[in-house]
Amino acid sequence: MVTGSFYLFLFTFAGVYLLAAMGFNVLAGYMGIISLAHGAVVAIGAFTTAILTVTYGWSFWPAAVMSTLVGGAVSGLVALPALRLSSWYFVLITIAFTTAVTAVITDMKWLTGGFTGILGVPPPSIAGHKFSGREMFWLVMVINIAVWWVISNIVHSRIGWSLLAIRDSSISALSNGVSVSHTRLFAFVFAGATAGLAGALFAVLKIVVTPEDFPFHFSIFFLFVVVLGGPAYLWGPLLGVFAFYVLPEMLGSLREYRMLIYGVGLLAFSIVLPEGIAGGLVALRRRYGASSAKKQSAQRTVSQITHAIRPIEGVALKVEDVSKTFGGVNALSNVTISVPAGHIHAVVGPNGSGKTTLLNIISGLYEPSGGDVRLGDKRITGLRPHMIARAGVGRTFQTPKIIGHLSVLENIRFGAYHREKSSGLSIALSLPSARREAEELTREATELLALVGLSDRAYDRADELPHGQLRLLEIGRALVGRPRVLLLDEPAAGLSLHELERLEELMIEIRRLGVTLIMVEHHVELVMGVAQSATVLDGGKVLAAGTPEQVFADKAVVSAYTGAPQ
Ligand code: ADP
Ligand code: MG
């Protein structure tokens, strides 16, 4: 296809853009960060290579490595405000950053040549042989294939799932043991590194680099390519570069209308293809094609996982004198609860009595205004949520928080995030040790999928599940993290009668695995059926505590529930 020099040039550039776009997909597509700084990082990469080769006489190879490192480092710095700011402020910062980069490049004439830029960037060479245009094309292709492979390894691993979890619900990422700040930093550095490397190749292809090569809409271009190509799809950037770069260039006259095409594309896509071209194709295949997913149903016993959980002896969880105020509201006042190991402990109380707040304090999402939480004899008050998850506290949410983009099995598998020991590098390079560990954990996730009764939906997208099954999915996800204490927030809400029976059995099975359960529940029969102990909250205070029979017979409790006088 690449015979004429026009096409050779066109496809080589498309490869350079694809490289930067693939990296940007990790940041914007998978992690959902809207940045308008990506083009500026490409510019920095291009100028780094141009300056090092032309001014300092470096050869291309070390210069390209330097561009990659500088791109990663600069992008990492841009990330720092993103860790704190809301996404809209962050977008403004990236706009300011891009404007500043152009201004600095134009101003620092002694280094960058100002408006005229840097001329005569030499091509790469090996043993004195300078790369021709065709060899450049192949170099770009080889780099793209390598980066594609690395990204493919990453996005099909716990790293990619943690990116999606942060995008869809950073709370679920935290409660599965993900350090959100580290993961964010990784995505920025990775995206920046691909942009820096793309910049190095860009400089060589252009031979002359000037600030004008990087207008503001260059950054917008990458956003379009990723968002319209199909965010969080491996093929998205390829389809996006083809639709928004290659096609307009091939149709010559369309080039002038690029911004108009982007605008109309955005409008049309937001209505017709909310998941971009790649998402649309996948949906088409699901609807009309043979489902490529292997349907399997794993019916394994759970005995194999029994050994895996380290039960806690004595008191599993202790909440001591915990209070929490929100502004003037006392959501919890001096609450003390002691949950013996191996119990199913029910936390009962009317709406607004502080039950969810209690779970949020135990799992570290809220810091208590006073008091302490202990897991076994370890004090966990004030630990960050992902550390509490790693210490052995799993949880589900009143409103299930799942990764809709992933399959049911992958969602459950994600719960093993903090148990996976393979380094990011061994995952990115798909080393045998990393693959073995991943397979092992996937097998365990498959078993738990069977335990919660979702085997037949293993390969369906999680967001296609009805509400009741999402609750079961969340339980499976928490279990694969091997919690010692499992917190369930209204697990029975919205379940059918059949599902309710299943849940009851499931909780008894989980208890047999050695997990201590704390469940927030209104459902009196369910509590009576499975719980060994219960605490009743009312208005943030403990109203009664004891066995379920005791608390439901308590006069104060009856009165709080029925409004009957004591
Ligand atoms: P429950 O789960 O028992 O229905 P919650 O724990 O959700 O109750 O809420 C207890 C009280 O704390 C309510 O009055 C609620 O409005 C308040 N509350 C809970 N979370 C927050 C928050 N993040 N900010 C302000 N108020 C909150
Ligand atoms: Mg609640």
Side-chain angles (χ1 to χ4, degrees):
M1 230 159 64
V2 274
T3 43
S5 74
F6 170 75
Y7 283 107
L8 185 64
F9 212 60
L10 177 64
F11 283 107
T12 313
F13 264 103
V16 172
Y17 294 152
L18 176 59
L19 175 60
M22 285 194 293
F24 194 54
N25 191 25
V26 169
L27 180 65
Y30 285 90
M31 205 174 61
I33 291 268
I34 300 170
S35 161
L36 286 170
H38 203 62
V41 182
V42 176
I44 290 171
F47 271 92
T48 302
T49 286
I51 292 165
L52 289 176
T53 53
V54 175
T55 316
Y56 294 97
W58 289 31
S59 84
F60 168 78
W61 307 107
V65 169
M66 194 52 109
S67 284
T68 310
L69 296 176
V70 169
V74 167
S75 184
L77 284 177
V78 174
L80 295 182
L83 304 178
R84 305 224 155 265
L85 292 178
S86 78
S87 64
W88 291 114
Y89 278 107
F90 179 69
V91 173
L92 292 180
I93 293 221
T94 61
I95 292 173
F97 173 79
T98 299
T99 316
V101 166
T102 314
V104 167
I105 289 176
T106 314
D107 270 5
M108 292 172 71
K109 284 200 183 64
W110 57 274
L111 186 65
T112 62
F115 279 118
T116 45
I118 297 180
L119 283 78
V121 180
S125 60
I126 290 180
H129 169 76
K130 289 192 166 125
F131 276 37
S132 65
R134 186 172 296 274
E135 283 157 345
M136 272 310 290
F137 170 80
W138 286 112
L139 174 66
V140 171
M141 287 307 125
V142 167
I143 292 176
N144 268 289
I145 291 168
V147 170
W148 182 296
W149 178 72
V150 165
I151 292 180
S152 163
N153 291 335
I154 288 176
V155 301
H156 293 117
S157 75
R158 69 180 177 123
I159 303 174
W161 301 329
S162 67
L163 296 170
L164 287 167
I166 290 173
R167 182 186 79 171
D168 291 351
S169 157
S170 57
I171 287 177
S172 85
L174 285 168
S175 69
N176 284 289
V178 177
S179 163
V180 171
S181 48
H182 288 179
T183 308
R184 280 211 179 128
L185 193 61
F186 158 77
F188 272 96
V189 169
F190 185 86
T194 63
L197 181 57
L201 295 165
F202 182 94
V204 168
L205 288 171
K206 276 286 236 218
I207 304 171
V208 183
V209 288
T210 72
E212 277 183 16
D213 289 327
F214 309 100
F216 189 69
H217 63 71
F218 194 50
S219 281
I220 299 181
F221 168 74
F222 288 110
L223 200 57
F224 265 85
V225 162
V226 166
V227 171
L228 302 185
Y233 288 96
L234 264 180
W235 289 84
L238 182 69
L239 297 168
V241 165
F242 190 79
F244 296 101
Y245 173 69
V246 176
L247 267 187
E249 290 287 328
M250 276 165 69
L251 300 175
S253 56
L254 276 185
R255 227 173 326 179
E256 314 288 318
Y257 300 103
R258 186 171 290 157
M259 289 312 278
L260 188 64
I261 295 174
Y262 292 171
V264 173
L266 183 61
L267 268 179
F269 277 55
S270 64
I271 298 163
V272 187
L273 292 173
E275 289 207 347
I277 305 174
L281 290 177
V282 169
L284 263 185
R285 199 184 63 184
R286 255 210 316 272
R287 184 178 307 174
Y288 297 110
S291 147
S292 64
K294 321 130 247 180
K295 295 264 175 201
Q296 72 164 57
S297 82
Q299 284 304 338
R300 286 211 188 81
T301 60
V302 290
S303 57
Q304 289 121 310
I305 52 174
T306 320
H307 66 276
I309 294 170
R310 309 158 283 161
I312 304 177
E313 305 289 321
V315 175
L317 190 99
K318 206 164 194 169
V319 174
E320 295 170 342
D321 209 20
V322 161
S323 299
K324 178 70 185 173
T325 53
F326 294 107
V329 180
N330 290 325
L332 292 176
S333 320
N334 307 97
V335 169
T336 296
I337 296 175
S338 177
V339 183
H343 270 207
I344 297 179
H345 185 92
V347 177
V348 187
N351 269 332
S353 57
K355 304 179 301 291
T356 298
T357 304
L358 178 70
L359 296 197
N360 285 342
I361 284 176
I362 296 172
S363 57
L365 294 176
Y366 293 161
E367 243 188 275
S369 316
D372 262 329
V373 182
R374 283 175 201 282
L375 177 69
D377 40 23
K378 186 178 150 89
R379 185 168 169 269
I380 57 171
T381 330
L383 288 184
R384 280 170 302 159
H386 67 277
M387 298 309 292
I388 292 181
R390 292 177 194 187
V393 178
R395 73 167 291 175
T396 68
F397 295 90
Q398 194 168 344
T399 320
K401 298 189 189 312
I402 49 114
I403 309 170
H405 190 81
L406 295 180
S407 74
V408 172
L409 178 59
E410 284 167 322
N411 267 278
I412 291 194
R413 171 70 171 76
F414 173 59
Y417 179 89
H418 62 275
R419 289 180 48 206
E420 203 162 342
K421 299 283 177 292
S422 308
S423 69
L425 193 64
S426 62
I427 288 173
L429 300 178
S430 188
L431 298 184
S433 60
R435 255 179 301 165
R436 228 174 302 124
E437 186 182 28
E439 276 163 23
E440 180 59 36
L441 291 171
T442 303
R443 229 193 36 234
E444 207 176 305
T446 314
E447 288 171 6
L448 288 167
L449 192 73
L451 178 70
V452 298
L454 290 176
S455 291
D456 55 332
R457 310 229 44 182
Y459 299 100
D460 291 334
R461 260 179 78 125
D463 55 10
E464 290 172 351
L465 256 55
H467 200 73
Q469 296 193 335
L470 290 180
R471 294 192 176 283
L472 297 171
L473 185 157
E474 276 205 321
I475 295 176
R477 179 177 68 188
L479 282 179
V480 79
R482 289 191 185 167
R484 304 161 86 189
V485 172
L486 176 58
L487 315 175
L488 305 176
D489 199 346
E490 304 204 9
L495 294 200
S496 68
L497 210 58
H498 173 72
E499 287 168 332
L500 206 61
E501 283 165 12
R502 178 84 203 102
L503 177 71
E504 199 169 328
E505 287 166 20
L506 182 59
M507 293 211 286
I508 292 166
E509 275 176 277
I510 294 171
R511 180 175 175 228
R512 262 211 299 271
L513 292 178
V515 181
T516 305
L517 285 115
I518 298 177
M519 69 160 172
V520 164
E521 197 43 75
H522 288 296
H523 209 278
V524 177
E525 284 100 278
L526 182 63
V527 171
M528 296 290 254
V530 300
Q532 285 71 49
S533 52
T535 303
V536 181
L537 290 181
D538 187 30
K541 296 196 180 74
V542 176
L543 195 61
T547 65
E549 292 77 12
Q550 284 166 351
V551 302
F552 286 123
D554 190 293
K555 285 216 182 69
V557 174
V558 174
S559 126
Y561 266 87
T562 61
Q566 290 185 33

